[in-house]
Amino acid sequence: MTNPNNATITTVHSAEFTSGHALSIPTLRLLKDDGTLYEGAKEPELDKATALKMYDTMVFIRVLDERMLAAQRQGRISFYMQCLGEEAAVVGSAAALDDKDMIMAQYREQGALRYRGFSLEQFMNQLFSNEKDLGKGRQMPVHYGSKDIYYMTVSSPLGTQIPQASGYAYAQRLRGLKNVTLCYFGEGAASEGDFHAGLNMAAVHKAPALFFCRNNGYAISTPANEQFVGDGIACRGVGYGIKTMRVDGADILAVYQATKMAREQALAGNEPILLESMAYRLAAHSSSDDPSGYRSKEEEELWRKNDPISRFRLWLINKGWLDEAADTEQTSALRQEILDALKVAEKVAKPGIEHMITDVYAEPTVQLQQQLKELKAHIKKYPDAYPVTAGRID
């Protein structure tokens, strides 16, 4: 007899509940804190050049984050979000992809962008919303995007990229491409309806999407134990019939291996995969957040010992692939390079106001053109209220 319910029917004759924690998902970890492998662990195939690129990317993002948060505190940019504590999760997963795999980010994945080749100048232009910014100044800082390197522009509404990733990955499959879409989001975004719709869509339509959940313990100020009762986010993938893996997000080798496996499986089976990274957000949620209001300094210091860059650095030293003195010198030079780039970008002019209506339609509509005309007239009438723009209107 056929089963229209699409469910396993195993009959019993006495009533009992299945526990909400019946499923226990292990966490993949390869590297110890001292940079050595656990007994029985096998490091992924990783050549020296790739490993050093991964490390350099992590260090670049750490230094960039430090400098740009300071710039925000000085009033030089309006907003910033750090990746502190999650560099391995982001860089390790990005490194496991093909260059033409699409990345759909949330807002803390600048490491993936840098690994793909986004330049320091491009970072600065976006953060300062100047006329060289690829987004022409129409986005908040850290809302990066680049068509050239297959990195979809970040949007602020939480979780919208999840169903979009399902659709994009489904299109990749229909076109016969041997590529996947990797979609980053936090455990807080997994509480949005878009998460459930996106995963179910990908599962039903067999879209090769990699859903990468960064479970960093807090959705802004809400701790995970106040967000959900289930066993993290990974168990939800199983609920949607999706192959799932949980990984230590501070262990870049484990993240790289898990993502590599997930990509291969997604393409081989024409199916989505859910990866859950278990790490800790060491920094504030954003430059507008004060974490002392919802967690202790003692908690932060405890997790600071689990630093992903330190662990990978020790592994590289143990391999004989990294010179400590040269590394220290290079990091110092990087700090100066970033500061120099900042000083250049903040002096570049802002985009022309006409860009407010470009890139939406092939040609701006009559309504948009009229609105722009009215806006220019308004600014000319009240120039003191618009000091940056007023002097640039013809």
Side-chain angles (χ1 to χ4, degrees):
M1 185 172 65
T2 60
N3 173 11
N5 309 103
N6 194 27
T8 300
I9 306 296
T10 302
T11 58
V12 295
H13 306 293
S14 60
E16 60 181 61
F17 290 109
T18 297
S19 168
H21 292 276
L23 179 64
S24 178
I25 298 179
T27 301
L28 175 66
R29 191 180 193 193
L30 304 179
L31 271 181
K32 297 180 183 178
D33 290 341
D34 63 2
T36 61
L37 291 172
Y38 281 93
E39 184 178 354
K42 183 180 179 182
E43 62 188 45
E45 293 183 9
L46 195 60
D47 60 77
K48 179 180 178 180
T50 302
L52 290 177
K53 181 181 178 182
M54 292 162 68
Y55 177 74
D56 290 344
T57 303
M58 294 171 75
V59 172
F60 174 89
I61 294 301
R62 178 71 60 90
V63 177
L64 178 74
D65 282 356
E66 291 172 357
R67 179 61 265 171
M68 298 318 296
L69 181 64
Q72 191 279 333
R73 295 296 188 244
Q74 294 165 351
R76 298 164 89 168
I77 61 173
S78 61
F79 178 79
Y80 197 74
M81 303 185 83
Q82 295 182 297
C83 186
L84 193 64
E86 297 185 77
E87 295 94 344
V90 177
V91 176
S93 52
L97 301 177
D98 180 82
D99 288 344
K100 292 186 178 180
D101 290 337
M102 177 55 73
I103 292 177
M104 294 192 180
Q106 184 159 303
Y107 44 53
R108 209 180 299 280
E109 294 86 15
Q110 50 264 44
L113 195 65
R114 176 63 177 180
Y115 191 84
R116 284 277 175 94
F118 209 62
S119 70
L120 173 55
E121 181 184 11
Q122 288 175 311
F123 273 105
M124 289 299 172
N125 290 337
Q126 198 284 326
L127 292 169
F128 282 97
S129 296
N130 63 35
E131 65 181 5
K132 293 183 179 180
D133 169 27
L134 297 179
K136 299 176 183 175
R138 294 174 300 203
Q139 278 278 24
M140 291 173 61
V142 308
H143 288 51
Y144 308 105
S146 175
K147 181 179 180 181
D148 291 342
I149 54 178
Y150 295 84
Y151 193 101
M152 189 70 73
T153 302
V154 174
S155 59
S156 288
L158 200 63
T160 54
Q161 74 277 16
I162 302 174
Q164 290 167 0
S166 300
Y168 197 96
Y170 183 51
Q172 288 172 314
R173 178 190 160 206
L174 292 180
R175 293 173 63 192
L177 301 178
K178 295 301 180 183
N179 292 103
V180 302
T181 296
L182 186 142
C183 178
Y184 292 108
F185 55 92
E187 88 288 342
S191 296
E192 296 285 334
D194 282 344
F195 168 84
H196 303 281
L199 264 69
N200 192 55
M201 173 184 172
V204 170
H205 293 288
K206 300 186 180 301
L210 307 186
F211 297 104
F212 194 100
C213 177
R214 296 181 296 91
N215 186 339
N216 61 23
Y218 291 90
I220 308 182
S221 59
T222 306
N225 62 4
E226 294 181 16
Q227 296 177 54
F228 49 82
V229 179
D231 181 17
I233 305 302
C235 61
R236 302 184 194 179
V238 177
Y240 283 112
I242 295 175
K243 290 185 175 66
T244 299
M245 190 183 302
R246 178 177 284 158
V247 61
D248 179 356
D251 180 350
I252 196 167
L253 295 187
V255 173
Y256 179 83
Q257 185 181 86
T259 310
K260 202 83 171 175
M261 288 178 60
R263 184 181 187 277
E264 292 170 359
Q265 182 60 45
L267 290 175
N270 281 323
E271 60 181 317
I273 306 291
L274 174 62
L275 298 172
E276 182 180 20
S277 160
M278 310 299 281
Y280 187 86
R281 168 169 55 79
L282 288 170
H285 172 73
S286 74
S287 55
S288 304
D289 174 43
D290 178 10
S292 66
Y294 55 85
R295 68 187 191 192
S296 67
K297 290 292 183 183
E298 290 75 19
E299 177 182 307
E300 291 179 11
E301 287 305 313
L302 178 65
W303 282 96
R304 206 170 294 278
K305 297 175 184 177
N306 194 35
D307 180 49
I309 295 181
S310 174
R311 198 190 302 186
F312 190 42
R313 184 174 187 268
L314 290 172
W315 180 79
L316 290 168
I317 292 171
N318 291 338
K319 295 277 287 187
W321 287 357
L322 186 68
D323 179 87
E324 294 184 70
D327 177 50
T328 301
E329 184 177 336
Q330 184 175 336
T331 301
S332 178
L334 179 59
R335 287 194 172 92
Q336 187 59 49
E337 183 183 351
I338 289 174
L339 180 58
D340 291 344
L342 183 157
K343 291 177 179 178
V344 171
E346 67 181 346
K347 294 177 182 177
V348 176
K350 298 299 181 185
I353 197 170
E354 65 275 4
H355 289 303
M356 290 183 71
I357 67 169
T358 57
D359 297 342
V360 178
Y361 302 98
E363 294 293 335
T365 64
V366 173
Q367 292 89 344
L368 286 175
Q369 292 180 40
Q370 180 60 32
Q371 289 171 15
L372 180 61
K373 182 180 178 180
E374 293 172 1
L375 177 60
K376 286 183 176 182
H378 173 79
I379 293 172
K380 283 184 177 181
K381 186 175 181 179
Y382 302 102
D384 293 342
Y386 304 93
V388 174
T389 307
R392 304 192 68 209
I393 293 180
D394 50 32

